[in-house]
């Protein structure tokens, strides 16, 4: 990924988005706090240069590494983060889910009245970095991961009981990874252009 970012920055390679699935692992962003890794020996932990805190990645979760020339797109990092969230929100809407942003909490959230008043779960996370005007790292979208794996971390540093983690499967939405990828592709073009 870093080699591709360098090549994009030099004008030697086009922008690129990778959609993939990781084996079960934890990544630590630049803001990861010591007490947020709750179980240190359950999964391998990788320190990354992306922003954010601890994040779980694993089977059933679609990870999107987004390598865009932000200089050519106006250079606005806040707009880029907003657009990443919009990409995910539109993807979830295509599957009938009402998801959105929450003030003071990064990522994409769904209300969970079935759990209680004021309960919300995160269904997608973001963690990015920009180097030489090119973005990398990106997003993760929970399609059907084993949600118990998130208990190894304090996801994104959020410890309040009313905020949890969810997935398509947990919400009763059936979708294959191929179907999710097709919608991600279409919604990416809507938000970012072809």
């Amino acid at each position: 990924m870093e080699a591709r970012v360098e090549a994009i920055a030099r004008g030697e390679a086009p922008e690129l988005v990778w959609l993939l699935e990781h084996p079960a692992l934890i990544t630590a962003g630049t803001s990861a706090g010591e007490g947020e890794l709750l179980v240190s020996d359950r999964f391998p932990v990788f320190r990354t240069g992306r922003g954010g805190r601890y994040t779980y990645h694993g089977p059933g979760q679609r990870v999107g590494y987004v390598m865009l020339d932000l200089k050519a797109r106006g250079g606005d990092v806040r707009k880029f983060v907003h657009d990443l969230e919009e990409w995910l929100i539109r993807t979830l809407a295509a599957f009938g889910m009402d998801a959105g942003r929450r003030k003071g909490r990064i990522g994409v959230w769904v209300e969970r009245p079935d759990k209680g008043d004021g309960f919300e779960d995160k269904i997608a996370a973001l963690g990015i970095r920009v180097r030489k005007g090119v973005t990398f790292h990106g997003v993760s979208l929970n399609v059907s991961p084993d949600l118990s794996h998130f208990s190894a971390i304090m996801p994104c540093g959020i410890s309040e009981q009313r905020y949890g983690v969810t997935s398509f499967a947990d919400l009763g939405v059936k979708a294959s990874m191929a179907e999710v990828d097709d919608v991600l592709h279409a919604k990416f073009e809507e938000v970012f252009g072809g």
Side-chain angles (χ1 to χ4, degrees), residues 44-74:
V45 177
F46 296 92
R47 297 246 167 231
T48 69
R50 67 160 170 77
R53 299 179 120 112
Y54 284 104
T55 303
Y56 167 79
H57 295 304
Q61 183 188 69
R62 177 52 78 220
V63 174
Y65 290 129
V66 182
M67 294 161 277
L68 299 182
D69 185 349
L70 202 58
K71 298 181 310 278
R73 294 172 175 268

Side-chain angles (χ1 to χ4, degrees), residues 2 66 80 82 107 111 124 150 164 171 175:
E2 293 196 18
V66 182
F80 174 66
H82 180 274
E111 292 182 7
F150 285 90
L171 295 170

Side-chain angles (χ1 to χ4, degrees), residues 70-136:
L70 202 58
K71 298 181 310 278
R73 294 172 175 268
D76 188 336
V77 176
R78 288 182 194 268
K79 181 181 182 322
F80 174 66
V81 170
H82 180 274
D83 289 348
L84 285 175
E85 291 170 336
E86 186 65 25
W87 174 36
L88 296 165
I89 290 165
R90 290 184 189 190
T91 297
L92 291 160
F95 290 95
M97 288 178 270
D98 183 18
R101 299 170 187 86
R102 299 299 186 266
K103 187 174 181 171
R105 287 183 271 139
I106 194 80
V108 178
W109 297 79
V110 295
E111 292 182 7
R112 293 303 299 264
D114 57 311
K115 292 184 175 182
D117 188 36
F119 278 68
E120 297 182 321
D121 286 345
K122 183 181 255 190
I123 193 165
L126 288 79
I128 65 158
R129 180 151 185 180
V130 179
R131 181 183 298 147
K132 297 181 182 176
V134 179
T135 67
F136 60 118

Side-chain angles (χ1 to χ4, degrees), residues 21-41:
E21 245 175 309
H22 282 296
L25 57 89
I26 293 169
T27 61
T30 56
S31 300
E34 250 181 70
E36 297 169 4
L37 181 61
L38 306 177
V39 181
S40 61
D41 60 351

